[in-house]
Amino acid sequence: LAARYAYKLGQNYKVGVITLDSYRVGAIEQLQAYTNIMRLPLEIVKNPEDFAEALLRLKDCNYIFIDTAGSSQYDIDKIELINEYQKRVEELNIEKILVLPANVKYSDLLEIYKTYSRLGIDYLTFTKLDETRSFGNLISFSYKTKKSITYFSIGQNVPDDLIVSDSNFLIDCFMNNKCVRR
């Protein structure tokens, strides 16, 4: 998303990235590699007390993307930690996008959403559309949650395999039993 906003929208926006993910081995190094390639500023925040300062350092950016640690819907402590970060800057209007894999069953999507909804999810993004042939669950899930889908990821080619959500694209995936870039 950061690459898309920085370089692919016809206007080069000033983009910054903050990561709250200091848990996964190599997470910071991987994100540093991407931000270095894109020449984007990266702030690494390891506790909620430092979050507002990181945002302030990126105040000149048009967009700031905040990367959180991906975790199981059963790891309530990590989800509550994200909530602690949010509380530190609750006066800011931060859009929250829940990124979900398309290749999980409908009941798991609902359970993930139920747990993460305590964070005030605004939108959905689905990854791994290239790893499934079942798309009805995404249509049903979006309808059930009443949340708009912002993007689809259809492969590993960053950022080219990130597609702006389009209902016709998803219906084509459903009807063709696979997703094909237009």
Side-chain angles (χ1 to χ4, degrees), residues 65-76:
F65 290 91
I66 303 166
D67 174 50
T68 60
S71 66
S72 164
Q73 69 270 26
Y74 306 114
D75 192 344
I76 302 302

PDB file of all heavy atoms in Angstrom, residues 65-76:
ATOM      1  N   PHE A  65       1.221   4.871   6.978  1.00  0.00           N
ATOM      2  CA  PHE A  65       0.733   3.503   7.112  1.00  0.00           C
ATOM      3  C   PHE A  65       1.306   2.908   8.389  1.00  0.00           C
ATOM      4  O   PHE A  65       2.505   3.015   8.636  1.00  0.00           O
ATOM      5  CB  PHE A  65       1.120   2.668   5.886  1.00  0.00           C
ATOM      6  CG  PHE A  65       0.369   3.090   4.664  1.00  0.00           C
ATOM      7  CD1 PHE A  65       0.873   4.056   3.815  1.00  0.00           C
ATOM      8  CD2 PHE A  65      -0.873   2.542   4.379  1.00  0.00           C
ATOM      9  CE1 PHE A  65       0.167   4.476   2.712  1.00  0.00           C
ATOM     10  CE2 PHE A  65      -1.597   2.953   3.276  1.00  0.00           C
ATOM     11  CZ  PHE A  65      -1.072   3.925   2.436  1.00  0.00           C
ATOM     12  N   ILE A  66       0.426   2.306   9.172  1.00  0.00           N
ATOM     13  CA  ILE A  66       0.827   1.724  10.450  1.00  0.00           C
ATOM     14  C   ILE A  66       0.690   0.218  10.340  1.00  0.00           C
ATOM     15  O   ILE A  66      -0.402  -0.308  10.138  1.00  0.00           O
ATOM     16  CB  ILE A  66      -0.043   2.274  11.596  1.00  0.00           C
ATOM     17  CG1 ILE A  66       0.053   3.804  11.634  1.00  0.00           C
ATOM     18  CG2 ILE A  66       0.385   1.650  12.927  1.00  0.00           C
ATOM     19  CD1 ILE A  66      -1.012   4.468  12.491  1.00  0.00           C
ATOM     20  N   ASP A  67       1.820  -0.458  10.471  1.00  0.00           N
ATOM     21  CA  ASP A  67       1.885  -1.914  10.394  1.00  0.00           C
ATOM     22  C   ASP A  67       1.799  -2.475  11.800  1.00  0.00           C
ATOM     23  O   ASP A  67       2.579  -2.105  12.670  1.00  0.00           O
ATOM     24  CB  ASP A  67       3.207  -2.315   9.737  1.00  0.00           C
ATOM     25  CG  ASP A  67       3.432  -3.812   9.747  1.00  0.00           C
ATOM     26  OD1 ASP A  67       2.522  -4.551   9.334  1.00  0.00           O
ATOM     27  OD2 ASP A  67       4.530  -4.235  10.159  1.00  0.00           O
ATOM     28  N   THR A  68       0.835  -3.346  12.020  1.00  0.00           N
ATOM     29  CA  THR A  68       0.724  -4.009  13.320  1.00  0.00           C
ATOM     30  C   THR A  68       1.124  -5.467  13.155  1.00  0.00           C
ATOM     31  O   THR A  68       1.141  -5.999  12.047  1.00  0.00           O
ATOM     32  CB  THR A  68      -0.712  -3.937  13.870  1.00  0.00           C
ATOM     33  OG1 THR A  68      -1.602  -4.571  12.959  1.00  0.00           O
ATOM     34  CG2 THR A  68      -1.140  -2.489  14.092  1.00  0.00           C
ATOM     35  N   ALA A  69       1.424  -6.101  14.258  1.00  0.00           N
ATOM     36  CA  ALA A  69       1.793  -7.516  14.217  1.00  0.00           C
ATOM     37  C   ALA A  69       0.569  -8.350  13.866  1.00  0.00           C
ATOM     38  O   ALA A  69      -0.479  -8.200  14.483  1.00  0.00           O
ATOM     39  CB  ALA A  69       2.351  -7.952  15.563  1.00  0.00           C
ATOM     40  N   GLY A  70       0.708  -9.188  12.867  1.00  0.00           N
ATOM     41  CA  GLY A  70      -0.354 -10.134  12.573  1.00  0.00           C
ATOM     42  C   GLY A  70      -0.384 -11.172  13.673  1.00  0.00           C
ATOM     43  O   GLY A  70       0.660 -11.669  14.087  1.00  0.00           O
ATOM     44  N   SER A  71      -1.558 -11.444  14.179  1.00  0.00           N
ATOM     45  CA  SER A  71      -1.634 -12.437  15.254  1.00  0.00           C
ATOM     46  C   SER A  71      -2.954 -13.191  15.169  1.00  0.00           C
ATOM     47  O   SER A  71      -3.894 -12.762  14.515  1.00  0.00           O
ATOM     48  CB  SER A  71      -1.482 -11.776  16.624  1.00  0.00           C
ATOM     49  OG  SER A  71      -2.575 -10.926  16.880  1.00  0.00           O
ATOM     50  N   SER A  72      -2.984 -14.282  15.845  1.00  0.00           N
ATOM     51  CA  SER A  72      -4.176 -15.114  15.902  1.00  0.00           C
ATOM     52  C   SER A  72      -5.313 -14.361  16.574  1.00  0.00           C
ATOM     53  O   SER A  72      -5.093 -13.568  17.491  1.00  0.00           O
ATOM     54  CB  SER A  72      -3.857 -16.387  16.702  1.00  0.00           C
ATOM     55  OG  SER A  72      -5.040 -17.029  17.099  1.00  0.00           O
ATOM     56  N   GLN A  73      -6.508 -14.654  16.136  1.00  0.00           N
ATOM     57  CA  GLN A  73      -7.677 -14.065  16.783  1.00  0.00           C
ATOM     58  C   GLN A  73      -7.832 -14.549  18.217  1.00  0.00           C
ATOM     59  O   GLN A  73      -8.585 -13.984  18.992  1.00  0.00           O
ATOM     60  CB  GLN A  73      -8.950 -14.352  15.979  1.00  0.00           C
ATOM     61  CG  GLN A  73      -9.391 -15.793  15.973  1.00  0.00           C
ATOM     62  CD  GLN A  73      -8.802 -16.606  14.840  1.00  0.00           C
ATOM     63  OE1 GLN A  73      -7.738 -16.283  14.325  1.00  0.00           O
ATOM     64  NE2 GLN A  73      -9.488 -17.655  14.436  1.00  0.00           N
ATOM     65  N   TYR A  74      -7.081 -15.565  18.586  1.00  0.00           N
ATOM     66  CA  TYR A  74      -7.137 -16.088  19.951  1.00  0.00           C
ATOM     67  C   TYR A  74      -6.111 -15.435  20.868  1.00  0.00           C
ATOM     68  O   TYR A  74      -6.125 -15.666  22.073  1.00  0.00           O
ATOM     69  CB  TYR A  74      -6.931 -17.606  19.946  1.00  0.00           C
ATOM     70  CG  TYR A  74      -7.899 -18.311  19.033  1.00  0.00           C
ATOM     71  CD1 TYR A  74      -7.444 -18.975  17.896  1.00  0.00           C
ATOM     72  CD2 TYR A  74      -9.267 -18.294  19.283  1.00  0.00           C
ATOM     73  CE1 TYR A  74      -8.330 -19.609  17.043  1.00  0.00           C
ATOM     74  CE2 TYR A  74     -10.159 -18.927  18.432  1.00  0.00           C
ATOM     75  CZ  TYR A  74      -9.686 -19.582  17.312  1.00  0.00           C
ATOM     76  OH  TYR A  74     -10.553 -20.198  16.463  1.00  0.00           O
ATOM     77  N   ASP A  75      -5.206 -14.632  20.308  1.00  0.00           N
ATOM     78  CA  ASP A  75      -4.188 -13.951  21.102  1.00  0.00           C
ATOM     79  C   ASP A  75      -4.726 -12.583  21.527  1.00  0.00           C
ATOM     80  O   ASP A  75      -4.337 -11.541  20.994  1.00  0.00           O
ATOM     81  CB  ASP A  75      -2.890 -13.820  20.307  1.00  0.00           C
ATOM     82  CG  ASP A  75      -1.720 -13.398  21.173  1.00  0.00           C
ATOM     83  OD1 ASP A  75      -1.940 -12.921  22.302  1.00  0.00           O
ATOM     84  OD2 ASP A  75      -0.575 -13.540  20.699  1.00  0.00           O
ATOM     85  N   ILE A  76      -5.602 -12.597  22.487  1.00  0.00           N
ATOM     86  CA  ILE A  76      -6.292 -11.391  22.943  1.00  0.00           C
ATOM     87  C   ILE A  76      -5.304 -10.357  23.485  1.00  0.00           C
ATOM     88  O   ILE A  76      -5.508  -9.152  23.307  1.00  0.00           O
ATOM     89  CB  ILE A  76      -7.359 -11.749  24.008  1.00  0.00           C
ATOM     90  CG1 ILE A  76      -8.376 -12.751  23.435  1.00  0.00           C
ATOM     91  CG2 ILE A  76      -8.060 -10.509  24.523  1.00  0.00           C
ATOM     92  CD1 ILE A  76      -9.106 -12.298  22.207  1.00  0.00           C
TER      93      ILE A  76
END
